[in-house]
Structures are given as C-alpha cells and as structure tokens.
Amino acid sequence: MAASGEATEHAIDAPRGRFGRWLERRIPPARSVTLDQRRIFIFPSLPGLFFVLLLLLILLTAINYQNNMAYAVAFLLATLFIVGILHTYANLAGLSLHALAASPAFPGQQSEFSLRLQHGRRAAHYGLRLAWPRGGDIEVSLDDRDSAELRLFVPVARRGWHHPGRLLLESSYPLGLLRCWTWVDLDLRALVYPQPLASPELPGTTSDSPEGAAVAVAGSDDFYGFREYRPGDSLRQVHWKGLAKGQALQSKHYAAYTDRSAWLDWDAFPGIPLEQRLSHLCHWALACERGGDDYGLRLPGTEIPPARGEAQLERVLTALALFGIGGQRS
C-alpha cells in the first residue's frame, strides 16, 4: 500500500500572534512546499523530557559515586537520544506537500481539502500526522510508493472563501522521544455557498403551466383551434368558411407554448437584508435544478442567462457566493 491512515478529529491551536507573523515570513504561502531545515522544528516530546530528566539523574549518580557502569548507561542513553534526533528529523526532511483542490460546501457542512504527500530522498516515511485547526486529522505512512493523495475535512461557516489556515504535519517516529513538526500554508481555499432559505413563491417564473402546455397569448400567430364566437372577438378571427358551410359561428383560437423557465432576480426580494436575499436565491436555484427547469440569475452587475444542468448550477451558486466580496479565485 502507498499509504495507510485513519481520519479522526482533534482540536489543535493554530499559530497566532508573534509566532504566526514569524511563520508568515519564514514559510510563506505556496501551493507546493518541500520540507527542509528552515521549515522543520524539533523538540523533545513529553516522554522525551522525562527521558532527559532520567538521563541527568543517572549522570549525576555516576559522577557522585564514580560508578563506571552508571557512566556507561548514561552515555548509551545520550547516544540513543542523539541518534533519535537525526532519525526523527530525517523522517520529515525532503517530504513535499502539494495542494490539489477544495470542494465547495454550504455553511455548516464540511469542505473536502485534497492534497498530495510525496516522499523525498528516503524510501519511506512513517507515523506522519496531518491536521488543520478546527478540522479532522489523518495519520499516514509512505512505504512502497512515492506519493499518496489525502483528503481532510474542515467545517465551514460563512459565505465566500474559506481559508483553513496552516496545515500541521508532525511525527514522533521512531522512538517517540522527540516531536518533529512544521506549519505550512498551502494557499488552498474552499468556496462557501449561501445558506439556502425558502421563500413563499418562486420569483420570475414565466408561467405556472407545465412545460409545453398551450396558453392563450394575445397577438400570437400560432393557430391552436376553434371555439365559440364571443361578443367582442375580432372579425378577423371569425371562421367565415365554416359559417358559409352552415356551421355555428366560431372564432379562431391562437396560443403559444410555454417554456418553464425562471429569472432569479435580485429585485424580486426588496426590503430584506443582503444575506437573506442571497439565501432565497440560492434556495430557488436548487429548487429549479431539482425540477429540471431553466433558470437564470440577475444580480447588480451580473446576469447569467437561463439554462439548466450542473454547470449552470455551479455558475449561479458561485456568483451568489462571491457577490459583494469581489475575490475571484486566482
């Protein structure tokens, strides 16, 4: 297998304050990052601190009692600790992280962030943990292949672009005495659509009749049939040939065939807050798509002509998500 791991959820704190600003300068945002000595930090873990304390106690005992065996144990453990530093650092060094994609989502849902983890000079990397603040984490090992595609989930809240923050990559392999980690910004954002909110009626619908139904339209040139003459009908509509054959007085009936389509118009919801308007429009875009109807969108400065299908829905929801924000994906 190329990778093995299990996604879980653990809350972690993102870098803030002075350390966060220092990280921005030392590890700037990039869609591809290769780990080297500038981007990797290493420090004893909690078991490692107890190990160092035990090592100091053994060394003090050896000095106090001039015990050669105690000296040998102390130097052996110190050597083991130093070798552990080299191996723990090498387990992360050379790894490359590549941002792939982020799936759009609605507020309250989780967006899927995809990335590729690729090994460097080492043939294998073990015990790697990746996590985003306030998101899920995953543990993975690279063994017989050179890369693995990973998916992590992060909850989203507000309409617009959601930036998950810096990604934590850490490992305590092989001894667990040291923790080696990095914080990288993969410059990856997820689009958050407005929260759908139902309204009493669908605005801008061309007709309430089913698609393809015939309805009377004044001035239409499409002949539909005959009906009884009604006082006030135009003389041009009278069926004179039928009257000449002794038939009852009838009028020609004209009709047009409806096209079940709708304009989702910003001006159809006057007097309500901006976010609520967008939520209503989002709801009706989803409803039209489910019903198989053509629909278009009119926003101040934006007009999307009527159509249907996944591409149309994505265009409409994207326009609603970014309205008033002005941040198009670079």
Side-chain angles (χ1 to χ4, degrees), residues 225-244:
F226 297 102
R227 61 172 173 79
E228 288 187 26
Y229 174 78
R230 297 173 184 171
D233 284 350
S234 172
L235 294 178
R236 291 185 301 174
Q237 291 181 285
V238 174
H239 184 38
W240 296 110
K241 291 182 180 181
L243 183 63

Side-chain angles (χ1 to χ4, degrees), residues 95-111:
L95 278 171
S96 296
L97 294 107
H98 307 278
L100 297 180
S103 64
F106 292 96
Q109 294 182 343
Q110 289 191 333
S111 176

Side-chain angles (χ1 to χ4, degrees), residues 114-166:
S114 301
L115 54 95
R116 182 187 301 113
L117 186 63
Q118 188 169 2
H119 74 56
R121 296 182 299 272
R122 288 175 60 100
H125 301 263
Y126 299 104
L128 306 174
R129 175 176 176 263
L130 299 94
W132 258 301
R134 297 177 298 278
D137 66 347
I138 188 170
E139 293 187 5
V140 63
S141 295
L142 296 180
D143 41 33
D144 58 349
R145 294 192 183 181
D146 62 349
S147 66
E149 290 192 7
L150 309 176
R151 289 181 292 273
L152 290 94
F153 296 88
V154 178
V156 297
R158 300 180 59 185
R159 176 182 69 90
W161 290 116
H162 177 81
H163 190 284
R166 288 187 171 267

Side-chain angles (χ1 to χ4, degrees), residues 36 53 57 75 167-168 173 178 180 186 225 246 304 323:
D36 56 19
L53 180 60
L57 289 176
F75 293 148
L167 175 70
L168 171 67
Y173 178 85
L178 297 118
C180 194
L186 293 177
I304 299 176
F323 179 74

Side-chain angles (χ1 to χ4, degrees), residues 34-48:
T34 299
L35 302 183
D36 56 19
Q37 60 185 11
R38 284 183 52 84
R39 298 180 173 94
I40 296 176
F41 312 101
I42 188 168
F43 197 76
S45 62
L46 186 59

